[in-house]
Amino acid sequence: MDAIESDLVIIGGGGAGLRAAIAAAESDPGLSIALVSKVVPMRSHTVAAEGGAAGVIHPDDTLDKHFEDTVSGGDWLCEQDVVEYFIGQCTRELTQLEHWGCPWSRQDDGNINVRYFGGMKSPRTWFAADKTGFHILHTLFQASLKYPSIRRFDEFFCTDLLVEDGRVQGVLAFNIATGESVLLRCKAVILATGGASRVFGQNTNAGIVTGEGMGMAYAQGVPLRDMEFVQWHPTALPGSGILITEGARGEGGILLNKDGYRYLQDYGMGPLDPWPRPRAMELGPRDRVSQAFWHEDQAGRTVNTPNGSAVHLDLRHLGEKKIMERLPMIRELALTFAATDPVDSPIPVRPAVHYTMGGVPCDANGATPLQGLFAAGECASVGIHGANRLGSNSLAELLVFGRAAGESAARLARESTTAPANLEAQANEAEARHLKMLDTTEGERVAAIRAEMHDIMESGVGIVRDAERMGQACERLSALRERYRRGVKLDDRGRCFNTEWLTAIELGHTLQVAEAMAHSALARKESRGAHLRQDGFDKRDDENFLCHSMAWHQGDGPPRIDHAPVTITRSSPRERIYGRDSQPEQPAREE
Amino acid sequence: MSQTRTIVIECLRFHPETDEAPYYQSYEVPFTEEMSVLEGLQYIKDHLDGTLTFRWSCRMAICGSCGCMVNDEPVLSCQTFLRDYHPARIRVEPLAHFPILRDLAIDQTDFLAKLESVHPYLIPSTGDDPGDQPRHQTPDQVQDYLGYAQCINCLLCYAACPQYGLNDAFTGPAALALLHRYNADSRDAGKDQRMEVINAEEGVWGCTLVGECSEVCPKHVDPARAINQNKIASTQDYFLRFLKPRGRR
Amino acid sequence: MNQPRTYTRGMQRWWLRRPSYRFYLLREGTSVVIALYGLFLLAGMAALAVGPGAFETWRGLLFSPLSWLLHLVVLAAFTFHAWTWFKVLPLTVPPVKTRRFPRGFTDATLNRVALWAWGVVSLVILVAAMRGLQ
Amino acid sequence: MKPRSHEPIFWSLFGGGGMLAALVGPILVLIIGLLVPIGLGFGPEAMNYEQMRGLLGHPMMGFGLAILIALFFFHAAHRILHTLHDLGVHASERLKLICYGSAAGGSALAVLVALVLVLRG
C-alpha cells in the first residue's frame, strides 16, 4: 500500500473543504495539505445551491436580527455562542469571496444586492442570480489553485479514519481510477463530506450526498448529533426532486393549492395582507411551509401530477424580465425537467429532503470530540441550525466554519509533536475488509438494499412522524443492516473505476446514518422545528427536550441515544411566531 | 405513472484490466416519458449490469459530471431524454477526444491541468486594497464577464472540438473561455500574465473556428467568441509590443 | 501511484461524425477556389502586361462557355465563403474602445451591418463597372 | 514561458484576404466571369485590351488588384495549411514554407506585374 505524508488531510472538496484548504494554506504556507475528494472539486454538491448566502449588509439589517432569525428559526436548539460567532463572520467571508471574484448580483450603483429568504426580518441573502452555490464553488476552486501547498487527490474515495493513541492520524482511501489503496498519514483531518440526504428517496441532492463522512466518524466512536432534524425543502419538482430555490419566493413567488388558494394563511403564516412582508406566508421557514404542504395533501387539496401530488409555485406576476434576471436557471430547470415555462404557467412543486441539520458535533473551531478530527459544512453539527436551518445560512456556514476549521487544524498540525504512529496494520485490516466485498458472490444487489432504505425512511421518518412508524423503521433498518452484512452481490469484480464496489462501501456508512436518524427521531418525544410528531407529542417540550440528541455507534447493534445540553446565552425559548407578528409596516421587497 | 416503453441503449464498453480495445454492448431498457439518458444508464447499472461505469452526480445539469456522446452528439446525459430517440436505438459513448479510463468515464486530468494554466482567479492590481469592503461593480460590468463565468467544466466543448482531438496540446475552449472571463472582469488586472497563454501556439492559435464548442455548450458560454476575440487581442499584442515601454515584455 | 491504462480512440475520418464538421471542411475548401481565382486574375494581369495577343488569348478563355460554367461554380464558392464569413464575423469582433457595445447591439445587428456593407459595395462596383467598361 | 506564436502575421493576412474575398469577391466573379462574357449589361467590347491597360495602368487599380490577389493567396495558404492538418497532414516547417512561400511568391509576381502595367501607363 502506498503511503503519503501530509500535515493535514481534508476529506471533501466542496465549499467547506476548499475554504478550509485555503485557510490552512494561508495561515501557514509551509504546511502540506492533501485535499481528497471522491469527485473533482467543482462537481461537489455545493454547486447545486441556488438561492444565496446570508450576511448582514443591508442598511435595515443588523447582527441582532440575524441572530434572532437564526435562533428562532432553529426553534431554540441552536448553540447560541456559536451563532454569535457565526453572524459576526458571515459578511466578512462573503466579502472575501467578492475579493476572489465571485460574481455577486449587484444593485445599479454597483453595491451588493440582497434578497429576502424565508424566516428573515430583513433582506440578507447575497446571491449570484440563482446559481449562487455554483459561483461560490467555482470561485473557491479556482482561487485554491493559487496555493502550491494544496495537493489535490481528485476521485479518491475515503473509507476509514485511522485512529491510534486516541488521535486521528491517517485516512484510508482508494484511488477510484485504479482501485489502489493509499494510506494518507497526517496530523489532523478535516471532514467536509457534506450531508446525507440520499438516505431518503425523494431528495434535492446530488448522488454523492451519501453521508459516509458522518459514517466514518461515527464508526470511530464520535456521536452523531441531532440527526432527527432533516430538512424538507418545500419546493422541489415532483419525481426528480430537482430544487426550485426559495429565492423564487424571495423574489415574490406564491404557493397555491389546487383551488388557486394561498393555503399558507391557514397554517399560522397569514394573514394574507399586507403582502409582501418578511417572515410571513411564502417567506415562512422551511419546516412550517413543508408541514403545511403535508396537511394540504392529507386534506386532498393538492394537484395530481404523474409523479405524485404537488402544489403550484406561481411566478407569472414577476414577468419575463425579472425571471430572466433573477431566476434564469429556475426557468431552464422548469422547462427541461417539468416541461413548464414559469413565465406562462405555475411550476408544480412538492417538498423533498434537502439538508441534514445534524451531524458530527464540533465547536466553533471545528474541533470534534475526537482528537485531531475537525468537521465543517453539512457533515458537521456546529450548532447554528438547531431544529430547522434557515435558508442561506448553510452557504455562509461553509465559509465561516470552513475557514475556522482550516485555521485550527493547521494550528494543531503545526504544533503537533507526536511521532507518527504505525498505522499499517490498521490500514491493511480495513483494506482487506473492503477488498473482501469483491469476492462476495451471494447476496442482494446494492440497488435493492438502497431502495429498501429509501422506502423505510420515506414511510417511517417523514415530514410528520409517530412512534409506531418510527419504531417499525428502526426495526427494519436493523434487519436491513444485517442483510447488508450478510453480503452484497457485486457484478463488478475488477479494481479499476469500480463504482459498484465503492457504492457498496458507501452504502454501509449510509445505512448507519439512517439508523442514527430513525433512533434519534424516536427518542425525541416532542415536536420541534423539522421534527413534527402526531402521536400526542405535537408540542414543543422545553422541559424535557431542550437538548441535543446524541447517537452513539454500538457496533452491529442499533445506536444508543442520549441527550446533551444546549448553550443558551441571550435568547430564551419563546413561542415561534411567523406571519402576524412580523413588522407589517415594513415592505418585504424593494423594487 | 406514465406509460412504459422499451428502448435499446448501446453502450461503449472498455475495461482496462481485461479489454484490448473497446466494444459495444446493448441493453433493453424500459423507460417512461420523463426518463433521461442518465436514468436509463442508472437503470442498467441497478438492474441489468452493475459493471457499466459512468460518472454522474447532481442530475440537474450543473455539476458537469455526466457528459457523454449520444449518437455522436456531446450532451449532458441528465438533460437528454430517451423519449426523443425512441423507437430508434441510441448509442452512448464516452466524450470524444479524451482517453477512456473505463466504459463511459474519460480521463480528465489533461483538462484540469489546462484549467490551472490560465491563471483562473482574480489578480487585482497592486496597491488596490479594498479592505473589508466589497468592490463596486455595476450590473453592466458584471454582464461583461458573467456569460463566460457560466462554464460548468463539463467538457462537451472539448468533445466537439476537432482541433483538440487532432492535437491535445491545444488549451481548448473551456479553459480559454475561463481565461477570458477573468480578463473581462473589471476587478482584474492580470491580463499581462494571461497574455502568454493566449499568445502561444497552443493558445488561441490552436483554434480554426469550427464553432462547435459554442453550439454544444449546455450553458451558452460561447467559447468560440472568447477565443476569437482574443485572436485580435493577441495580434494587437504581437504588433504593438514594440511600441510598449521597455520592461513590459 | 500507478497511472491507469487508458484507451484513446483515433481521429480517423472524423469529419464523418457530424454534419457540421463537413460544413466546416466545405467552408475551408472555398479557399482553394479563392486561390485558383487569384491565379486566374494574375494570369490575366500578366497577359495584359505581355501584350495584346496574350491578353486576347486570356480573354478568349474567359469568354468560352466552359469558363462561364466554371465561373458559376466559383461564384457559388465565393458566395458561400461570404455568407460563412459574415456569419462568424461577430465572434471575432471585440467590443472596442467603449468596452461595451450599446444596448441592443447584438450579433444579428452586426450581421445586418455586414450584409448592408456587402450589398452597397457590390452595387457600387457593379455600377462603376457598367459605366467604365462599356 | 511558452514561446509566442507568429500566427498573428499570417492570421492578419488571412483575415484581410477573407474579408476582401467576402466583400468584393462575389461581385467581381459575377461581373468578370459571368456578365461580361454574355454581354449582360456590358457591350461586346467590354474588358478589351485597351480598356484594361487604361484601367490597370492607374496605380490605384493596378496595385489594388495586385494586393487583392496577394491577400487571396495568403487567405488560401493559411486555410489550406490548416485544412491539411485537419485531414491528417501535419504542418511541418517545410509545409509551411511551401504554403506561405507560394503565397508570397504569387504576391510578389502580382505586384511586379502591376508595377510593369503602372509604369507603362
Side-chain angles (χ1 to χ4, degrees), chain C residues 47-71:
Chain C
L48 195 64
V50 170
F55 187 71
E56 275 314 310
T57 313
W58 181 80
R59 193 166 175 269
L61 216 62
L62 180 69
F63 276 58
S64 73
L66 180 66
S67 156
W68 201 83
L69 289 177
L70 282 175
H71 272 89

Side-chain angles (χ1 to χ4, degrees), chain A residues 112-151:
Chain A
I112 298 291
N113 203 359
V114 280
R115 60 164 56 130
Y116 270 105
F117 249 54
M120 287 183 180
K121 286 194 177 80
S122 294
R124 188 179 300 136
T125 299
W126 300 38
F127 60 101
D130 52 357
K131 292 186 183 174
T132 313
F134 163 79
H135 286 301
I136 288 181
L137 183 67
H138 281 248
T139 302
L140 283 172
F141 175 64
Q142 289 158 16
S144 80
L145 301 175
K146 284 189 290 190
Y147 302 91
S149 61
I150 302 173
R151 179 177 175 192

Side-chain angles (χ1 to χ4, degrees), chain A residues 260-275:
Chain A
Y261 174 72
R262 288 174 69 188
Y263 59 92
L264 291 178
Q265 58 189 295
D266 297 349
Y267 297 94
M269 280 170 280
L272 192 57
D273 295 312
W275 181 255

Side-chain angles (χ1 to χ4, degrees), chain A residues 188-253:
Chain A
V189 169
I190 301 176
L191 275 183
T193 52
S197 291
R198 283 267 160 180
V199 161
F200 288 80
Q202 276 265 323
N203 67 76
T204 66
N205 281 199
I208 52 175
V209 190
T210 42
E212 70 272 16
M214 297 177 188
M216 275 184 259
Y218 187 53
Q220 289 295 349
V222 180
L224 295 182
R225 186 164 82 178
D226 293 339
M227 292 303 287
E228 66 273 37
F229 297 107
V230 171
Q231 180 162 80
W232 271 262
H233 194 290
T235 58
L237 296 181
S240 65
I242 285 168
L243 175 67
I244 302 297
T245 174
E246 188 166 309
R249 281 170 285 137
E251 296 293 347

Side-chain angles (χ1 to χ4, degrees), chain B residues 90-139:
Chain B
I90 67 168
R91 174 178 274 201
V92 184
E93 300 170 83
L95 285 175
H97 309 152
F98 288 99
I100 303 170
L101 268 177
R102 186 178 169 186
D103 295 347
L104 305 177
I106 50 107
D107 185 351
Q108 51 196 338
T109 45
D110 179 53
F111 167 72
L112 290 167
K114 282 172 173 150
L115 184 81
E116 292 176 31
S117 76
V118 303
H119 309 289
Y121 33 76
L122 217 57
I123 303 174
S125 64
T126 47
D128 168 28
D129 179 14
D132 52 3
Q133 293 298 312
R135 288 188 179 83
H136 277 244
Q137 191 167 51
T138 64

Side-chain angles (χ1 to χ4, degrees), chain A residues 5 164-165 167 169 185-187 416-423:
Chain A
E5 300 269 350
E164 195 70 45
D165 307 326
R167 294 167 47 101
Q169 307 204 40
R185 296 172 174 287
C186 58
K187 296 168 181 163
S416 164
T417 49
T418 36
N422 187 359
L423 300 170

Side-chain angles (χ1 to χ4, degrees), chain A residues 67-134:
Chain A
F67 180 90
E68 269 303 312
D69 288 344
T70 301
V71 171
S72 66
D75 223 347
W76 281 272
L77 204 63
C78 305
E79 292 292 287
Q80 292 184 11
D81 54 340
V82 180
V83 174
E84 197 80 55
Y85 171 77
F86 169 67
I87 55 160
Q89 296 294 315
C90 289
T91 308
R92 172 189 149 161
E93 279 302 316
L94 298 177
T95 303
Q96 173 64 69
L97 267 186
E98 197 283 332
H99 295 173
W100 280 330
C102 188
W104 295 116
S105 292
R106 305 282 178 153
Q107 298 169 11
D108 288 340
D109 62 4
N111 281 316
I112 298 291
N113 203 359
V114 280
R115 60 164 56 130
Y116 270 105
F117 249 54
M120 287 183 180
K121 286 194 177 80
S122 294
R124 188 179 300 136
T125 299
W126 300 38
F127 60 101
D130 52 357
K131 292 186 183 174
T132 313
F134 163 79

